[in-house]
Amino acid sequence: MSQKSAIHYYDDGDIILMVEDMSFCVHKKYLSLASRIFNDMCATCSQSYESQLPIINLSDDSATAFEELLSFLYPSKWVRITWDNVSQFLQFSDKYEIISVLSASEDFLEQHFVEKPLKSLVLADSFRFKNVYKESSKLVINQLPSLKNSEDFKLLSIVTSLALLSRYLDYINGIGILNPSELLEGFTHEFLCNSTAHESSFIANFTNLVKKEIQVYPVLSPTRALKFLMTCEVTEGTKRCISNFEKTHLPGKLKAHFGEFEPMASEKRKYGIFNFLFIELKDN
């Protein structure tokens, strides 16, 4: 025998939804406005023998989760999207084509992905959220050695998991073949600069940094390595020449060596000094 929902069983409801052992007496207009799938169900369902109202059975859903969904859809109710329900809400949004739930779930991940970057990447991978995918991938790549054997990592698509591993292996390879002298190639010194002294200072400082801080085990995270490389002090050369080298020449050389990297698009207070490797969601 079914039990009535304590939240969504309205005296003026015009349709009954049966989910597991719980019945919801709700309004067709709210269901139809929220979802084309619900609209089609409401238009084609017929009155049952047991009730004066038409009944729709949704046997594959969880009654508790569906009650939360209705609370989100009803204008007089309110439910907050959290880490506990965002996965279920996204499944509902996909199954019943509920755009408002999809958008709200994406907004939640946009605001909270730094709390659970791998879970965010899994959901962004499944539901094609390009920005969440890119931003959460920055944090996942940065922690990849500790995340790649987790259960959540196994939920990623083959394409995404291989892209992450490939990006990280390219980084490891880049660390191994890093040559400080090559980072100077193509740089034009400012005309007042003593280029010989500047280059000697650069090579000495970078060689010391690479050997003592970068090419060591355990390997530094990409953000730490890039921070060391981009803030290495060069003691010789004019102020203008050093500035041109650090702000214009060196970032381009490092991107050519390690591939594209950039700061976080958000959370600048926490991550402002760091640059991140990343992957991007490809169009189908």
Side-chain angles (χ1 to χ4, degrees), residues 59-120:
S59 56
D60 294 336
D61 295 323
S62 157
T64 302
F66 198 83
E67 193 167 61
E68 274 204 310
L69 174 67
L70 289 173
S71 293
F72 184 89
L73 298 179
Y74 261 75
S76 59
K77 306 294 180 182
W78 184 80
V79 65
R80 187 163 61 99
I81 295 179
T82 67
W83 287 115
D84 292 331
N85 62 22
V86 65
S87 296
Q88 184 66 67
F89 267 38
L90 282 168
Q91 291 174 28
F92 281 138
S93 74
D94 185 55
K95 181 177 180 179
Y96 297 116
E97 298 182 15
I98 311 175
I99 301 302
S100 61
V101 173
L102 182 71
S103 298
S105 298
E106 183 176 12
D107 288 343
F108 170 80
L109 293 174
E110 291 267 9
Q111 296 171 28
H112 297 278
F113 72 89
V114 294
E115 299 163 11
K116 296 187 178 184
L118 183 53
K119 183 172 182 177
S120 297

Side-chain angles (χ1 to χ4, degrees), residues 141-254:
I141 290 173
N142 213 47
Q143 307 168 44
L144 195 61
S146 63
L147 295 176
K148 63 182 178 63
N149 293 321
S150 68
E151 290 302 312
D152 278 344
F153 194 85
K154 298 174 185 177
L155 299 176
L156 292 167
S157 67
I158 295 296
V159 171
T160 293
S161 57
L162 289 179
L164 290 169
L165 293 169
S166 176
R167 192 76 174 92
Y168 194 80
L169 287 175
D170 286 346
Y171 161 69
I172 297 296
N173 182 60
I175 289 293
I177 63 174
L178 187 62
N179 184 342
S181 298
E182 292 179 359
L183 298 179
L184 266 171
E185 291 180 0
F187 176 64
T188 302
H189 293 267
E190 193 261 350
F191 73 97
L192 293 176
C193 178
N194 183 336
S195 60
T196 301
H198 186 177
E199 292 189 12
S200 296
S201 172
F202 168 86
I203 292 174
N205 287 349
F206 263 71
T207 299
N208 184 59
L209 174 71
V210 167
K211 287 184 177 180
K212 291 188 175 182
E213 301 288 353
I214 308 296
Q215 291 175 334
V216 295
Y217 186 83
V219 178
L220 291 176
S221 67
T223 54
R224 297 285 295 172
L226 290 170
K227 177 178 179 289
F228 275 128
L229 290 169
M230 296 184 74
T231 57
C232 177
E233 294 185 1
V234 181
T235 56
E236 299 293 337
T238 66
K239 185 176 181 180
R240 180 177 176 182
C241 192
I242 292 172
S243 177
N244 287 340
F245 175 79
E246 292 178 344
K247 294 181 179 179
T248 305
H249 178 81
L250 184 58
K253 277 290 186 177
L254 292 176

